[in-house]
Amino acid sequence: MKIKQSGAAIGLVAVGALLLSACGSDNNTGAQGTSSSMANLSVECGGKATLSAEGSSAQKNAMDIFAKDFQAKCQGQKIAYTKSGSGKGISQFTAKQIDFGGTDSPLSKEKGEVDKAAQRCEGNPAWNLPLVFGPVALAYNVPNLNNLVLNGELAAKVFSGQITKWNDPAIAAANPGASLPDKKIVVIYRSDESGTTENFQTYLKTAAPQAWTKGGGKKFTGGVGEGKESSDGVSSATKSTDGAITYVEWSFAKNAKLGIAKVDTGAGAVELTSASAAKAIDGAQVKGTGNDLVLDLNSIYGTKAAGAYPLLLATYEVVCSKGYDADTAKALKAFLTVAANASASELEAAGYVALPETFKKKLTTAVSAIA
């Protein structure tokens, strides 16, 4: 995989087994709830007993995995993570109420978040560290339709009301031989502000700029459908509504046993899997400099690579590069190192994609530089 940052190639997402993290003391090796591979990786535990964090709900299930590993490997230490939304995560971080913030979008200079974060960090820049990657599914409920293919243009037209029937000729052309019902398409969207909505609309704008003219942001702007709050809400509504379609994190679509559309970026239909999500990250651009690892997701959403599933949500941990007290810095570095080495199989079961060794090294280099 090739991620470009100042001419250097780094990887982002991978499948396959990964090393699990561990804290380095002999007392922690083989702690209950950890694997032998985690015990073989040294992490310097210690410092603050309880870290505090808040923000993105999209990464909450991954945070639960990280918290379990951290508590098992760094005995006597834990993290308290509150899912309250990306905006709250950033505001609580800049107000110095938490140790780090979780967000679906990096700090915004235009909104003054970069300057506020630097002030919170004692005059030092804050870094955006992408730690959690989760695919977004185009999930649907159409009985006996088990192999639906959509592309960016079709998705844009469905979610803006330009296509209203499942047997529309445009959908039929992308699904030759499929039994498409003469049934109304019911769009289900997030009624609350959501990073998932923001990323989905960015995908539509990138993949089908002529078909999606509705704008973007964390509020759904398609102008059609029924709004439901939270990922649970849209997946439940889709499950109970014949003919419904939504966009939702992979884990919610799987848990609700919804149909998941394959996506054709121009090189053939691609099923959503860990491998296809990883493939979409090949060639993605990193816009940040140094240890500020801000991603250019447009280069993912617009991919034409064969076998690549382009709809991916990346969430960041916003941390101070410097400015922490020694105990907080030590504990934060231990936690983030543990999190970066989380189990690939556990993350996949929760609907996420694990970090590969190449990007993990880049991330842990940044983590090690926190002071």
Side-chain angles (χ1 to χ4, degrees), residues 90 93-96 107-109 112-127 318-324:
I90 290 174
F93 174 75
T94 56
K96 217 168 186 176
L107 294 170
S108 168
K109 188 171 183 62
E113 293 170 348
V114 171
D115 292 338
K116 288 179 182 178
Q119 184 177 4
R120 179 258 192 268
C121 297
E122 308 296 334
N124 301 291
W127 290 337
V318 178
V319 304
C320 290
S321 58
K322 295 180 181 179
Y324 290 113

CSV table of all heavy atoms in Angstrom, one decimal, residues 90 93-96 107-109 112-127 318-324:
chain,number,residue,atom,x,y,z
A,90,ILE,N,-13.7,17.8,20.7
A,90,ILE,CA,-12.7,18.9,20.5
A,90,ILE,C,-12.9,20.0,21.5
A,90,ILE,O,-11.9,20.5,22.0
A,90,ILE,CB,-12.9,19.4,19.0
A,90,ILE,CG1,-12.4,18.4,18.0
A,90,ILE,CG2,-12.1,20.7,18.8
A,90,ILE,CD1,-12.6,18.7,16.6
A,93,PHE,N,-11.5,19.0,24.8
A,93,PHE,CA,-10.0,19.0,24.8
A,93,PHE,C,-9.4,20.4,24.8
A,93,PHE,O,-8.5,20.7,25.6
A,93,PHE,CB,-9.6,18.3,23.5
A,93,PHE,CG,-8.1,18.3,23.3
A,93,PHE,CD1,-7.2,17.5,24.0
A,93,PHE,CD2,-7.5,19.2,22.3
A,93,PHE,CE1,-5.8,17.6,23.8
A,93,PHE,CE2,-6.1,19.3,22.1
A,93,PHE,CZ,-5.3,18.5,22.9
A,94,THR,N,-10.0,21.3,24.0
A,94,THR,CA,-9.4,22.7,24.0
A,94,THR,C,-9.7,23.4,25.3
A,94,THR,O,-8.9,24.3,25.7
A,94,THR,CB,-10.0,23.5,22.8
A,94,THR,OG1,-11.4,23.5,22.9
A,94,THR,CG2,-9.5,22.9,21.5
A,95,ALA,N,-10.7,23.0,26.0
A,95,ALA,CA,-11.0,23.6,27.3
A,95,ALA,C,-10.2,22.9,28.5
A,95,ALA,O,-10.4,23.3,29.6
A,95,ALA,CB,-12.5,23.4,27.6
A,96,LYS,N,-9.4,21.9,28.1
A,96,LYS,CA,-8.5,21.3,29.1
A,96,LYS,C,-9.3,20.4,30.1
A,96,LYS,O,-8.8,20.2,31.2
A,96,LYS,CB,-7.6,22.3,29.8
A,96,LYS,CG,-6.2,21.8,30.0
A,96,LYS,CD,-5.3,22.9,30.5
A,96,LYS,CE,-3.9,22.4,30.6
A,96,LYS,NZ,-2.9,23.5,31.0
A,107,LEU,N,-8.8,18.8,13.4
A,107,LEU,CA,-9.0,20.2,13.9
A,107,LEU,C,-9.1,21.1,12.7
A,107,LEU,O,-8.3,21.0,11.7
A,107,LEU,CB,-7.8,20.6,14.8
A,107,LEU,CG,-7.6,19.9,16.1
A,107,LEU,CD1,-6.3,20.3,16.7
A,107,LEU,CD2,-8.8,20.2,17.0
A,108,SER,N,-10.0,22.1,12.8
A,108,SER,CA,-10.3,23.0,11.7
A,108,SER,C,-9.6,24.4,12.1
A,108,SER,O,-9.9,25.0,13.1
A,108,SER,CB,-11.8,23.2,11.6
A,108,SER,OG,-12.1,24.3,10.7
A,109,LYS,N,-8.8,24.8,11.2
A,109,LYS,CA,-8.2,26.1,11.3
A,109,LYS,C,-9.2,27.2,11.1
A,109,LYS,O,-9.2,28.2,11.9
A,109,LYS,CB,-7.0,26.3,10.3
A,109,LYS,CG,-6.2,27.6,10.5
A,109,LYS,CD,-5.0,27.6,9.7
A,109,LYS,CE,-4.1,28.8,10.0
A,109,LYS,NZ,-3.6,28.9,11.3
A,112,GLY,N,-11.1,28.0,14.2
A,112,GLY,CA,-10.3,28.4,15.3
A,112,GLY,C,-9.9,27.3,16.2
A,112,GLY,O,-9.2,27.6,17.2
A,113,GLU,N,-10.1,26.0,15.8
A,113,GLU,CA,-9.8,24.9,16.6
A,113,GLU,C,-8.3,24.7,16.8
A,113,GLU,O,-7.8,24.3,17.8
A,113,GLU,CB,-10.5,23.7,16.1
A,113,GLU,CG,-12.0,23.7,16.2
A,113,GLU,CD,-12.7,22.6,15.5
A,113,GLU,OE1,-12.0,21.8,14.7
A,113,GLU,OE2,-13.9,22.4,15.7
A,114,VAL,N,-7.6,25.0,15.7
A,114,VAL,CA,-6.1,24.8,15.7
A,114,VAL,C,-5.5,25.7,16.7
A,114,VAL,O,-4.6,25.3,17.6
A,114,VAL,CB,-5.5,25.0,14.3
A,114,VAL,CG1,-4.0,25.0,14.4
A,114,VAL,CG2,-6.0,23.9,13.4
A,115,ASP,N,-5.9,27.0,16.7
A,115,ASP,CA,-5.3,27.9,17.6
A,115,ASP,C,-5.7,27.7,19.1
A,115,ASP,O,-4.9,27.8,20.0
A,115,ASP,CB,-5.7,29.4,17.2
A,115,ASP,CG,-5.1,29.8,15.9
A,115,ASP,OD1,-4.0,29.2,15.6
A,115,ASP,OD2,-5.7,30.7,15.3
A,116,LYS,N,-7.0,27.3,19.3
A,116,LYS,CA,-7.5,27.0,20.6
A,116,LYS,C,-6.7,25.7,21.2
A,116,LYS,O,-6.4,25.7,22.4
A,116,LYS,CB,-9.0,26.7,20.6
A,116,LYS,CG,-9.8,27.9,20.4
A,116,LYS,CD,-11.3,27.6,20.4
A,116,LYS,CE,-12.2,28.8,20.1
A,116,LYS,NZ,-13.6,28.4,20.1
A,117,ALA,N,-6.5,24.8,20.3
A,117,ALA,CA,-5.8,23.6,20.8
A,117,ALA,C,-4.3,23.9,21.1
A,117,ALA,O,-3.8,23.4,22.1
A,117,ALA,CB,-5.8,22.5,19.7
A,118,ALA,N,-3.7,24.8,20.4
A,118,ALA,CA,-2.3,25.2,20.7
A,118,ALA,C,-2.2,25.9,22.0
A,118,ALA,O,-1.3,25.7,22.8
A,118,ALA,CB,-1.7,26.0,19.5
A,119,GLN,N,-3.2,26.7,22.3
A,119,GLN,CA,-3.3,27.4,23.5
A,119,GLN,C,-3.5,26.4,24.7
A,119,GLN,O,-2.8,26.6,25.7
A,119,GLN,CB,-4.5,28.4,23.5
A,119,GLN,CG,-4.5,29.3,24.8
A,119,GLN,CD,-5.7,30.3,24.7
A,119,GLN,OE1,-6.5,30.3,23.7
A,119,GLN,NE2,-5.8,31.2,25.7
A,120,ARG,N,-4.3,25.4,24.5
A,120,ARG,CA,-4.5,24.4,25.5
A,120,ARG,C,-3.2,23.6,25.8
A,120,ARG,O,-3.0,23.1,26.8
A,120,ARG,CB,-5.6,23.5,25.0
A,120,ARG,CG,-5.9,22.3,26.0
A,120,ARG,CD,-5.3,21.0,25.5
A,120,ARG,NE,-5.8,19.9,26.2
A,120,ARG,CZ,-5.2,19.3,27.3
A,120,ARG,NH1,-4.1,19.9,27.8
A,120,ARG,NH2,-5.7,18.3,27.9
A,121,CYS,N,-2.4,23.5,24.7
A,121,CYS,CA,-1.2,22.7,24.8
A,121,CYS,C,0.0,23.6,25.2
A,121,CYS,O,1.2,23.3,24.7
A,121,CYS,CB,-0.9,22.0,23.5
A,121,CYS,SG,-2.2,20.8,23.0
A,122,GLU,N,-0.2,24.6,25.9
A,122,GLU,CA,0.8,25.5,26.4
A,122,GLU,C,1.7,26.1,25.3
A,122,GLU,O,2.9,26.2,25.4
A,122,GLU,CB,1.8,24.7,27.4
A,122,GLU,CG,1.0,24.0,28.5
A,122,GLU,CD,0.3,25.0,29.4
A,122,GLU,OE1,0.7,26.1,29.6
A,122,GLU,OE2,-0.7,24.5,30.1
A,123,GLY,N,1.0,26.5,24.2
A,123,GLY,CA,1.6,27.1,23.1
A,123,GLY,C,2.2,26.2,22.1
A,123,GLY,O,2.8,26.6,21.1
A,124,ASN,N,2.0,24.9,22.2
A,124,ASN,CA,2.5,23.9,21.3
A,124,ASN,C,1.4,23.4,20.4
A,124,ASN,O,0.3,23.3,20.8
A,124,ASN,CB,3.1,22.7,22.1
A,124,ASN,CG,4.2,23.1,23.0
A,124,ASN,OD1,5.3,23.5,22.6
A,124,ASN,ND2,4.0,23.1,24.3
A,125,PRO,N,1.8,22.9,19.2
A,125,PRO,CA,0.7,22.5,18.3
A,125,PRO,C,0.1,21.1,18.8
A,125,PRO,O,0.8,20.3,19.4
A,125,PRO,CB,1.4,22.2,16.9
A,125,PRO,CG,2.9,22.1,17.3
A,125,PRO,CD,3.1,22.9,18.5
A,126,ALA,N,-1.2,21.0,18.5
A,126,ALA,CA,-1.8,19.7,18.7
A,126,ALA,C,-1.7,18.8,17.4
A,126,ALA,O,-1.6,19.4,16.3
A,126,ALA,CB,-3.3,19.9,19.0
A,127,TRP,N,-1.7,17.5,17.6
A,127,TRP,CA,-1.6,16.6,16.5
A,127,TRP,C,-2.8,15.8,16.3
A,127,TRP,O,-3.5,15.4,17.3
A,127,TRP,CB,-0.4,15.6,16.7
A,127,TRP,CG,1.0,16.2,16.6
A,127,TRP,CD1,1.3,17.4,16.0
A,127,TRP,CD2,2.2,15.7,17.2
A,127,TRP,NE1,2.7,17.6,16.2
A,127,TRP,CE2,3.2,16.6,16.9
A,127,TRP,CE3,2.4,14.6,18.0
A,127,TRP,CZ2,4.5,16.4,17.3
A,127,TRP,CZ3,3.8,14.4,18.4
A,127,TRP,CH2,4.8,15.3,18.1
A,318,VAL,N,-7.0,13.6,19.0
A,318,VAL,CA,-6.3,14.9,19.1
A,318,VAL,C,-5.5,15.0,20.4
A,318,VAL,O,-6.1,14.9,21.5
A,318,VAL,CB,-7.4,16.0,19.0
A,318,VAL,CG1,-6.6,17.4,19.0
A,318,VAL,CG2,-8.1,15.9,17.7
A,319,VAL,N,-4.2,15.2,20.2
A,319,VAL,CA,-3.4,15.2,21.4
A,319,VAL,C,-2.4,16.4,21.3
A,319,VAL,O,-2.2,17.0,20.3
A,319,VAL,CB,-2.5,13.9,21.5
A,319,VAL,CG1,-3.4,12.6,21.5
A,319,VAL,CG2,-1.5,13.8,20.3
A,320,CYS,N,-1.9,16.7,22.5
A,320,CYS,CA,-0.9,17.8,22.5
A,320,CYS,C,0.5,17.2,22.1
A,320,CYS,O,0.8,16.1,22.5
A,320,CYS,CB,-0.7,18.4,23.9
A,320,CYS,SG,-2.1,19.4,24.4
A,321,SER,N,1.2,17.9,21.2
A,321,SER,CA,2.6,17.4,20.9
A,321,SER,C,3.5,17.6,22.1
A,321,SER,O,4.3,16.8,22.4
A,321,SER,CB,3.1,18.2,19.7
A,321,SER,OG,3.1,19.6,20.0
A,322,LYS,N,3.3,18.7,22.8
A,322,LYS,CA,4.0,19.0,24.1
A,322,LYS,C,3.0,19.7,25.0
A,322,LYS,O,2.0,20.2,24.5
A,322,LYS,CB,5.2,19.8,23.9
A,322,LYS,CG,6.3,19.2,23.1
A,322,LYS,CD,7.5,20.1,22.9
A,322,LYS,CE,8.6,19.5,22.1
A,322,LYS,NZ,9.7,20.4,21.9
A,323,GLY,N,3.3,19.8,26.3
A,323,GLY,CA,2.5,20.6,27.2
A,323,GLY,C,1.8,19.8,28.3
A,323,GLY,O,1.1,20.3,29.2
A,324,TYR,N,1.9,18.4,28.2
A,324,TYR,CA,1.3,17.6,29.3
A,324,TYR,C,2.3,17.6,30.5
A,324,TYR,O,3.5,17.8,30.3
A,324,TYR,CB,1.1,16.2,28.8
A,324,TYR,CG,0.1,15.9,27.8
A,324,TYR,CD1,0.4,15.6,26.5
A,324,TYR,CD2,-1.3,16.1,28.1
A,324,TYR,CE1,-0.6,15.3,25.5
A,324,TYR,CE2,-2.3,15.9,27.2
A,324,TYR,CZ,-1.9,15.5,25.9
A,324,TYR,OH,-2.9,15.3,24.9
